[in-house]
Protein backbone atom coordinates (compact mmCIF):
# COMPACT_ATOMS: atom_id res chain seq x y z
CA UNK A 1 0.00 0.00 0.00
CA UNK A 2 1.38 3.41 -0.96
CA UNK A 3 0.23 6.49 0.92
CA UNK A 4 -1.95 8.73 -1.20
CA UNK A 5 -0.71 12.27 -1.73
CA UNK A 6 -3.46 14.85 -1.83
CA UNK A 7 -2.25 18.07 -3.47
CA UNK A 8 -2.57 21.35 -1.60
CA UNK A 9 -3.16 24.83 -2.99
CA UNK A 10 -0.24 27.09 -3.89
CA UNK A 11 1.12 28.89 -0.84
CA UNK A 12 3.56 31.40 0.57
CA UNK A 13 4.84 30.09 3.89
CA UNK A 14 6.91 32.54 5.92
CA UNK A 15 8.93 31.02 8.75
CA UNK A 16 9.87 33.64 11.31
CA UNK A 17 12.81 32.32 13.30
CA UNK A 18 13.87 30.75 10.02
CA UNK A 19 17.47 30.12 11.14
CA UNK A 20 16.50 28.68 14.54
CA UNK A 21 16.80 25.20 15.98
CA UNK A 22 13.17 24.19 15.48
CA UNK A 23 13.14 25.36 11.87
CA UNK A 24 16.28 23.38 11.07
CA UNK A 25 15.38 20.25 13.01
CA UNK A 26 11.69 19.95 12.22
CA UNK A 27 10.16 22.47 9.84
CA UNK A 28 12.51 22.33 6.84
CA UNK A 29 12.95 18.53 6.97
CA UNK A 30 9.14 18.18 7.09
CA UNK A 31 8.72 20.49 4.10
CA UNK A 32 11.44 18.66 2.18
CA UNK A 33 9.67 15.34 2.73
CA UNK A 34 6.40 16.80 1.47
CA UNK A 35 8.26 18.08 -1.59
CA UNK A 36 9.87 14.67 -2.09
CA UNK A 37 6.48 12.95 -1.86
CA UNK A 38 5.15 15.19 -4.64
CA UNK A 39 2.71 17.08 -2.45
CA UNK A 40 4.20 20.54 -2.79
CA UNK A 41 2.68 22.55 -5.64
CA UNK A 42 5.05 23.97 -8.23
CA UNK A 43 4.44 27.54 -7.22
CA UNK A 44 4.73 26.98 -3.47
CA UNK A 45 7.19 29.34 -1.78
CA UNK A 46 8.94 29.07 1.55
CA UNK A 47 10.54 32.20 2.97
CA UNK A 48 12.86 31.90 5.94
CA UNK A 49 12.90 35.18 7.88
CA UNK A 50 15.25 35.96 10.75
CA UNK A 51 17.70 38.51 12.06
CA UNK A 52 20.87 36.81 10.83
CA UNK A 53 22.79 38.61 8.09
CA UNK A 54 22.97 35.76 5.63
CA UNK A 55 22.31 35.59 1.90
CA UNK A 56 20.39 33.03 -0.14
CA UNK A 57 23.50 30.91 -0.76
CA UNK A 58 24.21 30.55 2.96
CA UNK A 59 20.54 29.91 3.67
CA UNK A 60 20.46 27.16 1.05
CA UNK A 61 23.57 25.61 2.57
CA UNK A 62 21.84 25.65 5.95
CA UNK A 63 18.88 23.80 4.39
CA UNK A 64 21.20 21.24 2.75
CA UNK A 65 22.84 20.64 6.13
CA UNK A 66 19.49 20.29 7.83
CA UNK A 67 18.35 17.74 5.24
CA UNK A 68 21.66 15.86 5.49
CA UNK A 69 21.29 15.66 9.27
CA UNK A 70 17.60 14.96 9.71
CA UNK A 71 16.43 13.13 6.60
CA UNK A 72 16.98 9.39 6.22
CA UNK A 73 19.34 8.41 3.42
CA UNK A 74 16.77 6.80 1.12
CA UNK A 75 14.81 10.05 0.92
CA UNK A 76 17.87 12.23 0.25
CA UNK A 77 18.36 12.73 -3.44
CA UNK A 78 20.48 15.46 -4.97
CA UNK A 79 17.95 16.47 -7.66
CA UNK A 80 15.11 16.59 -5.16
CA UNK A 81 17.17 18.68 -2.76
CA UNK A 82 18.03 21.23 -5.46
CA UNK A 83 14.39 21.24 -6.63
CA UNK A 84 13.28 21.89 -3.06
CA UNK A 85 15.78 24.74 -2.64
CA UNK A 86 14.23 26.47 -5.67
CA UNK A 87 11.13 26.97 -3.51
CA UNK A 88 13.10 28.48 -0.62
CA UNK A 89 14.44 31.98 -0.10
CA UNK A 90 15.71 34.04 2.81
CA UNK A 91 14.79 37.46 4.07
CA UNK A 92 16.60 39.39 6.80
CA UNK A 93 13.97 40.86 9.05
CA UNK A 94 13.75 42.28 12.55
CA UNK A 95 10.57 41.46 14.46
CA UNK A 96 11.20 44.46 16.71
CA UNK A 97 12.13 47.04 14.09
CA UNK A 98 11.27 48.04 10.55
CA UNK A 99 14.09 46.15 8.79
CA UNK A 100 12.86 43.74 6.16
CA UNK A 101 9.10 44.39 6.40
CA UNK A 102 8.76 46.31 3.15
CA UNK A 103 10.62 43.50 1.35
CA UNK A 104 8.30 40.94 2.91
CA UNK A 105 5.22 42.95 1.93
CA UNK A 106 6.48 42.96 -1.66
CA UNK A 107 7.41 39.28 -1.60
CA UNK A 108 4.05 37.74 -0.63
CA UNK A 109 1.69 37.16 -3.54
CA UNK A 110 -2.02 37.81 -3.86
CA UNK A 111 -4.27 34.87 -4.61
CA UNK A 112 -2.28 32.17 -2.80
CA UNK A 113 -2.60 30.81 0.74
CA UNK A 114 -0.45 32.86 3.11
CA UNK A 115 0.81 31.19 6.27
CA UNK A 116 3.10 32.69 8.91
CA UNK A 117 4.91 30.29 11.21
CA UNK A 118 6.08 32.05 14.38
CA UNK A 119 9.03 29.78 15.22
CA UNK A 120 10.32 32.34 17.72
CA UNK A 121 9.96 32.90 21.45
CA UNK A 122 6.43 33.99 22.53
CA UNK A 123 7.65 37.47 23.53
CA UNK A 124 7.85 38.24 19.79
CA UNK A 125 4.32 37.04 18.92
CA UNK A 126 2.67 40.40 19.57
CA UNK A 127 5.14 42.45 17.55
CA UNK A 128 5.13 40.04 14.63
CA UNK A 129 1.33 39.83 14.55
CA UNK A 130 1.04 43.61 14.70
CA UNK A 131 3.56 44.24 11.92
CA UNK A 132 1.94 41.61 9.69
CA UNK A 133 -1.20 43.72 9.89
CA UNK A 134 0.34 47.19 9.72
CA UNK A 135 2.18 46.24 6.56
CA UNK A 136 -0.96 44.51 5.22
CA UNK A 137 1.02 41.33 4.73
CA UNK A 138 -1.65 39.20 6.39
CA UNK A 139 -5.12 39.12 4.86
CA UNK A 140 -8.42 37.82 6.24
CA UNK A 141 -7.62 34.29 5.05
CA UNK A 142 -4.01 34.19 6.30
CA UNK A 143 -2.96 31.63 8.89
CA UNK A 144 -0.64 32.13 11.81
CA UNK A 145 1.11 29.17 13.46
CA UNK A 146 2.42 29.32 17.04
CA UNK A 147 4.55 26.86 18.97
CA UNK A 148 4.58 25.54 22.48
CA UNK A 149 4.96 26.60 25.22
CA UNK A 150 1.69 28.48 24.96
CA UNK A 151 2.03 30.42 28.21
CA UNK A 152 3.61 29.60 31.53
CA UNK A 153 0.31 29.60 33.43
CA UNK A 154 -3.31 30.65 32.92
CA UNK A 155 -2.53 34.35 33.15
CA UNK A 156 0.23 34.33 30.53
CA UNK A 157 -1.78 32.03 28.23
CA UNK A 158 -4.72 34.45 28.44
CA UNK A 159 -2.42 37.35 27.67
CA UNK A 160 -1.00 35.52 24.62
CA UNK A 161 -4.49 34.67 23.38
CA UNK A 162 -5.54 38.30 23.82
CA UNK A 163 -2.46 39.54 21.94
CA UNK A 164 -3.09 37.23 18.99
CA UNK A 165 -6.81 38.06 19.03
CA UNK A 166 -6.02 41.74 18.49
CA UNK A 167 -4.75 40.89 15.02
CA UNK A 168 -6.17 37.49 14.02
CA UNK A 169 -9.48 35.64 14.32
CA UNK A 170 -9.48 32.32 16.16
CA UNK A 171 -10.07 30.46 12.88
CA UNK A 172 -6.72 31.85 11.65
CA UNK A 173 -4.67 30.75 14.68
CA UNK A 174 -2.96 27.33 14.64
CA UNK A 175 -1.52 26.39 18.05
CA UNK A 176 0.76 23.42 17.45
CA UNK A 177 0.88 20.42 19.74
CA UNK A 178 2.90 18.05 17.61
CA UNK A 179 1.52 15.02 19.47
CA UNK A 180 -1.77 15.61 17.69
CA UNK A 181 0.01 15.23 14.34
CA UNK A 182 1.29 11.75 15.18
CA UNK A 183 -0.17 8.99 13.05
CA UNK A 184 -1.11 6.85 16.04
CA UNK A 185 -2.91 9.66 17.79
CA UNK A 186 -5.17 10.12 14.81
CA UNK A 187 -5.52 6.39 14.61
CA UNK A 188 -6.81 6.46 18.13
CA UNK A 189 -9.80 8.39 16.81
CA UNK A 190 -10.17 6.00 13.87
CA UNK A 191 -10.07 2.98 16.20
CA UNK A 192 -12.64 4.51 18.50
CA UNK A 193 -15.05 6.02 16.01
CA UNK A 194 -14.73 3.88 12.87
CA UNK A 195 -15.16 0.50 14.59
CA UNK A 196 -18.13 -0.90 16.45
CA UNK A 197 -15.90 -3.15 18.53
CA UNK A 198 -14.48 -0.78 21.11
CA UNK A 199 -16.95 2.03 21.68
CA UNK A 200 -19.56 -0.04 23.61
CA UNK A 201 -16.79 -1.08 26.03
CA UNK A 202 -15.22 2.38 26.28
CA UNK A 203 -16.43 3.36 29.75
CA UNK A 204 -15.90 2.77 33.46
CA UNK A 205 -18.22 -0.27 33.46
CA UNK A 206 -15.75 -2.18 31.31
CA UNK A 207 -12.47 -0.29 31.62
CA UNK A 208 -10.61 -0.63 34.92
CA UNK A 209 -8.20 2.22 34.34
CA UNK A 210 -6.04 3.94 31.74
CA UNK A 211 -2.27 4.54 31.84
CA UNK A 212 -0.50 7.15 29.78
CA UNK A 213 3.30 7.01 29.83
CA UNK A 214 5.74 9.31 28.07
CA UNK A 215 9.27 8.25 29.04
CA UNK A 216 12.52 9.71 27.78
CA UNK A 217 16.05 8.40 28.28
CA UNK A 218 17.70 11.78 27.88
CA UNK A 219 18.20 14.38 30.59
CA UNK A 220 17.47 18.08 30.15
CA UNK A 221 20.37 18.50 27.68
CA UNK A 222 20.70 21.91 26.08
CA UNK A 223 17.30 23.07 27.29
CA UNK A 224 18.31 23.38 30.95
CA UNK A 225 17.33 27.00 31.41
CA UNK A 226 13.88 26.62 29.85
CA UNK A 227 13.26 23.26 31.50
CA UNK A 228 14.12 24.40 35.01
CA UNK A 229 11.48 27.12 34.71
CA UNK A 230 8.92 24.68 33.29
CA UNK A 231 9.33 21.15 34.70
CA UNK A 232 7.58 18.01 33.53
CA UNK A 233 4.12 19.29 34.49
CA UNK A 234 4.30 22.32 32.22
CA UNK A 235 6.51 20.79 29.54
CA UNK A 236 4.61 17.53 29.01
CA UNK A 237 1.42 17.19 31.06
CA UNK A 238 -0.30 20.52 30.36
CA UNK A 239 -0.14 19.99 26.62
CA UNK A 240 0.80 16.59 25.16
CA UNK A 241 -0.54 14.32 27.89
CA UNK A 242 -3.71 16.34 28.40
CA UNK A 243 -4.37 16.08 24.67
CA UNK A 244 -3.93 12.30 24.76
CA UNK A 245 -6.21 12.06 27.77
CA UNK A 246 -8.84 14.13 25.97
CA UNK A 247 -8.79 11.95 22.86
CA UNK A 248 -9.23 8.80 24.96
CA UNK A 249 -11.94 10.25 27.17
CA UNK A 250 -13.99 12.44 24.82
CA UNK A 251 -17.48 11.66 23.56
CA UNK A 252 -17.85 10.96 19.84
CA UNK A 253 -17.90 14.32 18.05
CA UNK A 254 -20.75 14.73 15.57
CA UNK A 255 -18.21 15.05 12.75
CA UNK A 256 -14.45 14.98 12.31
CA UNK A 257 -14.45 18.73 12.06
CA UNK A 258 -12.34 21.25 13.97
CA UNK A 259 -14.86 22.70 16.39
CA UNK A 260 -16.81 19.47 16.81
CA UNK A 261 -13.65 17.67 17.96
CA UNK A 262 -12.35 20.56 20.04
CA UNK A 263 -15.70 21.10 21.79
CA UNK A 264 -15.60 17.48 22.97
CA UNK A 265 -12.00 17.76 24.18
CA UNK A 266 -12.84 20.91 26.11
CA UNK A 267 -15.70 19.14 27.90
CA UNK A 268 -13.22 16.51 29.12
CA UNK A 269 -10.84 19.11 30.54
CA UNK A 270 -13.76 20.77 32.32
CA UNK A 271 -14.77 17.41 33.82
CA UNK A 272 -11.35 16.81 35.42
CA UNK A 273 -11.44 16.73 39.22
CA UNK A 274 -8.86 18.76 41.11
CA UNK A 275 -5.90 16.48 41.87
CA UNK A 276 -5.34 15.61 45.54
CA UNK A 277 -1.80 16.05 46.94
CA UNK A 278 -1.59 12.31 47.69
CA UNK A 279 -2.34 11.55 44.05
CA UNK A 280 0.82 13.18 42.70
CA UNK A 281 4.46 12.11 42.86
CA UNK A 282 7.28 14.32 41.63
CA UNK A 283 10.83 13.22 41.03
CA UNK A 284 14.30 14.45 40.11
CA UNK A 285 16.90 12.16 38.56
CA UNK A 286 20.11 11.47 40.43
CA UNK A 287 23.67 11.30 39.11
CA UNK A 288 24.96 8.05 37.67
CA UNK A 289 27.96 6.75 35.71
CA UNK A 290 29.63 10.10 35.33
CA UNK A 291 26.39 11.76 34.21
CA UNK A 292 25.18 14.61 36.35
CA UNK A 293 22.02 14.71 38.42
CA UNK A 294 19.12 16.97 37.50
CA UNK A 295 20.37 19.78 39.74
CA UNK A 296 23.87 19.41 38.21
CA UNK A 297 22.39 19.61 34.71
CA UNK A 298 20.43 22.77 35.42
CA UNK A 299 23.29 24.16 37.55
CA UNK A 300 20.90 24.99 40.33
CA UNK A 301 21.47 23.02 43.57
CA UNK A 302 18.30 24.52 45.06
CA UNK A 303 16.05 23.56 42.14
CA UNK A 304 12.71 22.05 43.12
CA UNK A 305 11.61 21.53 39.52
CA UNK A 306 10.41 18.02 38.65
CA UNK A 307 12.01 15.96 35.88
CA UNK A 308 9.40 13.26 36.56
CA UNK A 309 5.75 13.41 37.53
CA UNK A 310 3.11 10.74 38.03
CA UNK A 311 -0.50 11.54 38.85
CA UNK A 312 -3.88 9.97 39.21
CA UNK A 313 -6.61 11.88 37.41
CA UNK A 314 -10.38 11.45 37.66
CA UNK A 315 -12.76 12.45 34.92
CA UNK A 316 -16.08 13.19 36.57
CA UNK A 317 -18.72 12.31 34.02
CA UNK A 318 -21.07 9.41 33.39
CA UNK A 319 -18.66 7.62 31.11
CA UNK A 320 -15.53 7.69 33.27
CA UNK A 321 -16.51 8.04 36.94
CA UNK A 322 -14.68 5.20 38.71
CA UNK A 323 -12.05 4.49 36.00
CA UNK A 324 -9.01 6.64 36.83
CA UNK A 325 -6.37 7.85 34.41
CA UNK A 326 -2.77 7.43 35.59
CA UNK A 327 -0.28 9.70 33.87
CA UNK A 328 3.50 9.61 34.17
CA UNK A 329 6.33 11.23 32.32
CA UNK A 330 9.99 11.59 33.06
CA UNK A 331 13.52 12.09 31.85
CA UNK A 332 16.43 9.64 32.21
CA UNK A 333 14.06 6.68 32.32
CA UNK A 334 14.87 3.12 31.20
CA UNK A 335 13.47 3.38 27.66
CA UNK A 336 12.28 6.05 25.29
CA UNK A 337 8.66 5.15 24.88
CA UNK A 338 5.23 6.76 24.69
CA UNK A 339 2.10 4.72 25.03
CA UNK A 340 -1.49 4.71 26.16
CA UNK A 341 -2.78 1.52 27.77
CA UNK A 342 -6.51 0.96 28.19
CA UNK A 343 -6.75 -1.78 30.82
CA UNK A 344 -10.09 -3.57 30.78
CA UNK A 345 -11.73 -5.20 33.78
CA UNK A 346 -11.32 -8.86 34.62
CA UNK A 347 -14.14 -11.15 33.46
CA UNK A 348 -16.65 -11.42 36.32
CA UNK A 349 -16.05 -15.12 36.90
CA UNK A 350 -13.35 -17.57 35.84
CA UNK A 351 -14.69 -20.88 34.56
CA UNK A 352 -11.15 -22.21 34.04
CA UNK A 353 -10.15 -22.71 37.64
CA UNK A 354 -7.67 -21.07 39.95
CA UNK A 355 -4.57 -22.31 38.10
CA UNK A 356 -5.70 -20.18 35.20
CA UNK A 357 -5.59 -16.72 36.72
CA UNK A 358 -6.97 -14.45 34.03
CA UNK A 359 -5.16 -11.37 32.87
CA UNK A 360 -7.18 -8.37 31.79
CA UNK A 361 -7.41 -7.38 28.14
CA UNK A 362 -5.21 -4.40 27.44
CA UNK A 363 -5.39 -2.17 24.39
CA UNK A 364 -2.00 -0.49 23.95
CA UNK A 365 -1.67 2.47 21.61
CA UNK A 366 2.06 2.95 20.97
CA UNK A 367 3.19 6.38 19.88
CA UNK A 368 6.88 5.56 19.86
CA UNK A 369 8.90 3.65 19.03
CA UNK A 370 7.32 1.56 16.27
CA UNK A 371 3.91 3.25 16.12
CA UNK A 372 1.07 0.81 16.30
CA UNK A 373 -1.77 -0.74 18.22
CA UNK A 374 -1.64 -3.91 20.24
CA UNK A 375 -4.54 -5.74 21.88
CA UNK A 376 -3.65 -8.33 24.49
CA UNK A 377 -6.12 -11.20 24.59
CA UNK A 378 -6.26 -14.49 26.46
CA UNK A 379 -6.40 -17.74 24.47
CA UNK A 380 -5.90 -21.43 25.07
CA UNK A 381 -2.28 -22.49 24.96
CA UNK A 382 -1.93 -24.77 21.94
CA UNK A 383 -1.30 -28.47 22.54
CA UNK A 384 -2.78 -31.40 24.39
CA UNK A 385 -1.94 -30.18 27.90
CA UNK A 386 -5.52 -29.43 28.84
CA UNK A 387 -7.12 -26.02 29.15
CA UNK A 388 -4.21 -23.74 29.95
CA UNK A 389 -4.62 -20.08 29.20
CA UNK A 390 -1.98 -17.76 27.77
CA UNK A 391 -1.98 -14.09 26.97
CA UNK A 392 -1.06 -13.20 23.37
CA UNK A 393 -0.85 -9.91 21.50
CA UNK A 394 -2.97 -9.09 18.48
CA UNK A 395 -0.36 -6.75 17.15
CA UNK A 396 -0.68 -4.16 14.45
CA UNK A 397 2.53 -2.34 13.75
CA UNK A 398 1.68 0.19 11.06
CA UNK A 399 4.88 -0.50 9.18
CA UNK A 400 4.18 -4.24 9.09
CA UNK A 401 0.44 -3.96 8.51
CA UNK A 402 0.70 -1.49 5.66
CA UNK A 403 3.61 -3.28 3.97
CA UNK A 404 7.13 -2.32 2.98
CA UNK A 405 5.94 -0.11 0.10
CA UNK A 406 4.05 2.17 2.42
CA UNK A 407 7.17 4.25 2.92
CA UNK A 408 7.95 6.19 6.05
CA UNK A 409 5.05 7.24 8.22
CA UNK A 410 4.95 11.04 7.86
CA UNK A 411 6.39 13.01 10.73
CA UNK A 412 3.86 14.97 12.79
CA UNK A 413 5.17 18.28 11.46
CA UNK A 414 4.60 17.22 7.84
CA UNK A 415 0.94 16.59 8.45
CA UNK A 416 0.41 19.63 10.63
CA UNK A 417 2.05 22.09 8.23
CA UNK A 418 0.00 20.71 5.33
CA UNK A 419 -3.14 21.03 7.48
CA UNK A 420 -2.28 24.70 7.99
CA UNK A 421 -2.11 25.15 4.21
CA UNK A 422 -5.42 23.28 3.80
CA UNK A 423 -6.98 25.45 6.49
CA UNK A 424 -7.92 22.50 8.70
CA UNK A 425 -7.68 23.23 12.44
CA UNK A 426 -8.87 19.84 13.74
CA UNK A 427 -5.43 18.85 15.03
CA UNK A 428 -4.62 22.23 16.59
CA UNK A 429 -5.52 23.49 20.03
CA UNK A 430 -8.16 26.15 20.40
CA UNK A 431 -7.55 29.08 22.75
CA UNK A 432 -10.21 28.04 25.27
CA UNK A 433 -8.81 24.49 25.43
CA UNK A 434 -5.36 25.79 26.32
CA UNK A 435 -6.76 28.09 28.97
CA UNK A 436 -8.90 25.32 30.49
CA UNK A 437 -5.82 23.07 30.70
CA UNK A 438 -3.87 25.79 32.53
CA UNK A 439 -6.81 26.46 34.84
CA UNK A 440 -6.64 22.81 35.92
CA UNK A 441 -2.82 22.68 36.19
CA UNK A 442 -2.21 26.03 37.93
CA UNK A 443 -3.53 25.06 41.41
CA UNK A 444 -1.40 21.92 41.39
CA UNK A 445 1.77 23.89 40.72
CA UNK A 446 0.76 26.66 43.13
CA UNK A 447 0.49 24.08 45.92
CA UNK A 448 4.06 22.90 45.27
CA UNK A 449 5.24 26.47 45.47
CA UNK A 450 3.50 26.88 48.82
CA UNK A 451 4.56 23.71 50.59
CA UNK A 452 8.10 23.91 49.22
CA UNK A 453 8.59 20.14 49.27
CA UNK A 454 11.34 18.68 47.13
CA UNK A 455 10.79 16.15 44.37
CA UNK A 456 11.76 12.55 45.25
CA UNK A 457 15.17 11.47 43.91
CA UNK A 458 15.18 8.58 41.43
CA UNK A 459 17.82 6.40 39.83
CA UNK A 460 18.37 7.05 36.14
CA UNK A 461 17.56 4.10 33.89
CA UNK A 462 14.56 2.93 35.89
CA UNK A 463 10.85 3.71 36.18
CA UNK A 464 11.00 6.82 38.35
CA UNK A 465 10.68 7.19 42.13
CA UNK A 466 9.43 4.34 44.31
CA UNK A 467 6.46 6.46 45.39
CA UNK A 468 5.20 6.47 41.79
CA UNK A 469 4.89 2.67 41.96
CA UNK A 470 3.00 3.03 45.24
CA UNK A 471 0.55 5.41 43.58
CA UNK A 472 -0.71 2.38 41.65
CA UNK A 473 -0.05 -0.37 44.22
CA UNK A 474 -2.24 1.22 46.84
CA UNK A 475 -5.13 0.97 44.34
CA UNK A 476 -4.33 -2.70 43.64
CA UNK A 477 -2.92 -1.85 40.21
CA UNK A 478 0.51 -1.63 38.66
CA UNK A 479 2.23 0.28 35.92
CA UNK A 480 3.04 -1.56 32.75
CA UNK A 481 6.76 -2.03 32.46
CA UNK A 482 8.40 0.79 30.54
CA UNK A 483 10.03 -0.92 27.62
CA UNK A 484 10.48 -0.14 23.97
P1 LIG B 1 16.11 29.51 18.47
O1 LIG B 1 16.61 30.42 19.54
O2 LIG B 1 16.98 28.41 17.99
O3 LIG B 1 15.74 30.41 17.20
C1 LIG B 1 15.14 31.65 17.31
C2 LIG B 1 15.00 32.27 15.93
O4 LIG B 1 14.33 33.53 16.08
C3 LIG B 1 16.30 32.55 15.19
O5 LIG B 1 16.11 32.28 13.82
C4 LIG B 1 16.50 34.07 15.40
O6 LIG B 1 17.22 34.69 14.35
C5 LIG B 1 15.05 34.53 15.38
N1 LIG B 1 14.89 35.82 16.06
C6 LIG B 1 15.15 36.13 17.35
N2 LIG B 1 14.88 37.44 17.59
C7 LIG B 1 14.43 37.95 16.42
C8 LIG B 1 13.98 39.24 16.01
N3 LIG B 1 13.95 40.29 16.84
N4 LIG B 1 13.57 39.39 14.73
C9 LIG B 1 13.59 38.35 13.87
N5 LIG B 1 13.99 37.13 14.19
C10 LIG B 1 14.41 36.93 15.45
O7 LIG B 1 14.70 28.98 18.98
P2 LIG B 1 13.98 27.59 18.61
O8 LIG B 1 14.52 26.52 19.47
O9 LIG B 1 14.01 27.40 17.14
O10 LIG B 1 12.48 27.83 19.12
C11 LIG B 1 11.54 28.63 18.41
C12 LIG B 1 10.18 28.49 19.08
O11 LIG B 1 9.75 27.13 19.01
C13 LIG B 1 10.18 28.85 20.56
O12 LIG B 1 8.93 29.43 20.88
C14 LIG B 1 10.30 27.50 21.25
O13 LIG B 1 9.75 27.50 22.53
C15 LIG B 1 9.49 26.64 20.30
N6 LIG B 1 9.84 25.22 20.35
C16 LIG B 1 11.09 24.82 20.05
C17 LIG B 1 11.39 23.46 20.07
C18 LIG B 1 12.75 22.96 19.70
O14 LIG B 1 12.93 21.75 19.70
N7 LIG B 1 13.69 23.81 19.37
C19 LIG B 1 10.40 22.52 20.41
C20 LIG B 1 9.12 22.97 20.69
C21 LIG B 1 8.85 24.32 20.66
Amino acid sequence: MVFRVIPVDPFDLVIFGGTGDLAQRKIYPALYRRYHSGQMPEDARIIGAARSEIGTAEFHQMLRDSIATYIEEETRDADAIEGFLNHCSYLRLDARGEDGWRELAEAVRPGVVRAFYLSVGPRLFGELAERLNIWEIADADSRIVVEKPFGHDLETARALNATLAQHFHEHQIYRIDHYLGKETVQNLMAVRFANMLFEPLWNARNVDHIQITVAETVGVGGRAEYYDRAGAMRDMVQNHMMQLLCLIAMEPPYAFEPDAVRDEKLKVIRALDPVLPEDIVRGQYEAEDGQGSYVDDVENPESRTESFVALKVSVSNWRWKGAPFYLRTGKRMRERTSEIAVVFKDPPHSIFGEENAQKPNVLVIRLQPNEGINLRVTIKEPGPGGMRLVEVPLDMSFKEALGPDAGEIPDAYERLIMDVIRGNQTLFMRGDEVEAAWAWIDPIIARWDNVRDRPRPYQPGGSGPEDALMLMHRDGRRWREVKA
Side-chain angles (χ1 to χ4, degrees), residues 243-420:
Q243 289 293 324
L244 298 180
L245 184 153
C246 284
L247 294 177
I248 290 278
M250 73 181 184
E251 296 302 313
Y254 66 83
F256 190 58
E257 283 173 7
D259 280 332
V261 172
R262 298 184 302 176
D263 285 347
E264 296 305 335
K265 287 197 292 166
L266 181 61
K267 285 184 207 161
V268 173
I269 302 175
R270 295 210 166 125
L272 297 178
D273 282 351
V275 181
L276 303 172
E278 59 268 32
D279 287 341
I280 297 204
V281 176
R282 298 196 303 151
Q284 263 182 1
Y285 58 80
E286 297 180 303
E288 194 185 49
D289 293 341
Q291 287 187 298
S293 66
Y294 176 79
V295 292
D296 296 334
D297 286 355
V298 298
E299 296 176 5
N300 176 7
E302 300 302 314
S303 174
R304 290 185 294 115
T305 304
E306 73 288 353
S307 61
F308 172 98
V309 67
L311 60 162
K312 177 181 176 183
V313 179
S314 301
V315 183
S316 270
N317 61 20
W318 275 44
R319 188 188 280 265
W320 292 114
K321 192 80 187 173
F325 287 66
Y326 297 89
L327 275 47
R328 66 176 165 166
T329 179
K331 292 192 172 292
R332 300 288 306 276
M333 308 273 282
R334 183 178 304 131
E335 301 277 358
R336 176 172 181 256
T337 172
S338 302
E339 66 163 46
I340 303 166
V342 181
V343 182
F344 289 88
K345 290 197 164 157
D346 289 337
H349 165 66
S350 169
I351 65 168
F352 298 111
E354 277 183 11
E355 69 279 17
N356 273 315
Q358 296 180 73
K359 296 226 169 100
N361 296 121
V362 183
L363 180 72
V364 179
I365 298 124
R366 256 188 337 257
L367 278 69
Q368 67 187 20
N370 191 17
E371 295 191 50
I373 292 176
N374 172 310
L375 178 63
R376 301 199 73 82
V377 291
T378 302
I379 61 161
K380 178 191 168 299
E381 191 177 72
M387 182 55 92
R388 284 205 310 265
L389 301 183
V390 285
E391 198 194 14
V392 293
L394 286 179
D395 203 349
M396 191 183 79
S397 146
F398 295 150
K399 267 198 189 140
E400 280 168 29
L402 300 176
D405 296 336
E408 281 299 304
I409 293 173
D411 177 72
Y413 276 88
E414 294 177 55
R415 171 171 300 101
L416 294 175
I417 296 172
M418 289 301 115
D419 276 359
V420 171

Side-chain angles (χ1 to χ4, degrees), residues 4 21 33-34 49 90 119 223 233 248 270 314 318 321 325 342 350 368 385 400 403 421 430 434 437 466 472:
R4 259 189 317 149
D21 176 64
R33 282 211 196 89
R34 289 296 86 210
Y90 181 76
S119 182
R223 297 166 70 222
M233 198 70 175
I248 290 278
R270 295 210 166 125
S314 301
W318 275 44
K321 192 80 187 173
F325 287 66
V342 181
S350 169
Q368 67 187 20
E400 280 168 29
I421 305 300
R430 208 168 54 193
V434 178
E466 190 70 21
M472 281 281 217

Side-chain angles (χ1 to χ4, degrees), residues 50-51 91-101 124 128 131:
R51 262 187 320 188
L91 195 87
R92 202 191 97 74
L93 175 145
D94 185 1
R96 302 205 132 140
E98 298 315 310
D99 280 1
W101 288 94
L124 294 180
L128 285 169
R131 289 198 165 78

Side-chain angles (χ1 to χ4, degrees), residues 17-23 25 49-52 93-96 118-125 147-149 413:
T19 55
D21 176 64
L22 183 74
R25 272 193 320 113
R51 262 187 320 188
S52 322
L93 175 145
D94 185 1
R96 302 205 132 140
L118 309 194
S119 182
V120 293
R123 69 203 151 76
L124 294 180
F125 288 1
E147 267 292 340
K148 91 166 202 190
Y413 276 88

Side-chain angles (χ1 to χ4, degrees), residues 1 32 52 92 153 184 226 248 275 278 355 386 398 420 426 456 463 469 480:
M1 183 181 154
Y32 169 75
S52 322
R92 202 191 97 74
D153 51 21
T184 322
Y226 155 75
I248 290 278
V275 181
E278 59 268 32
E355 69 279 17
F398 295 150
V420 171
T426 309
R456 304 269 182 273
S463 322
L469 305 180
R480 282 168 47 78

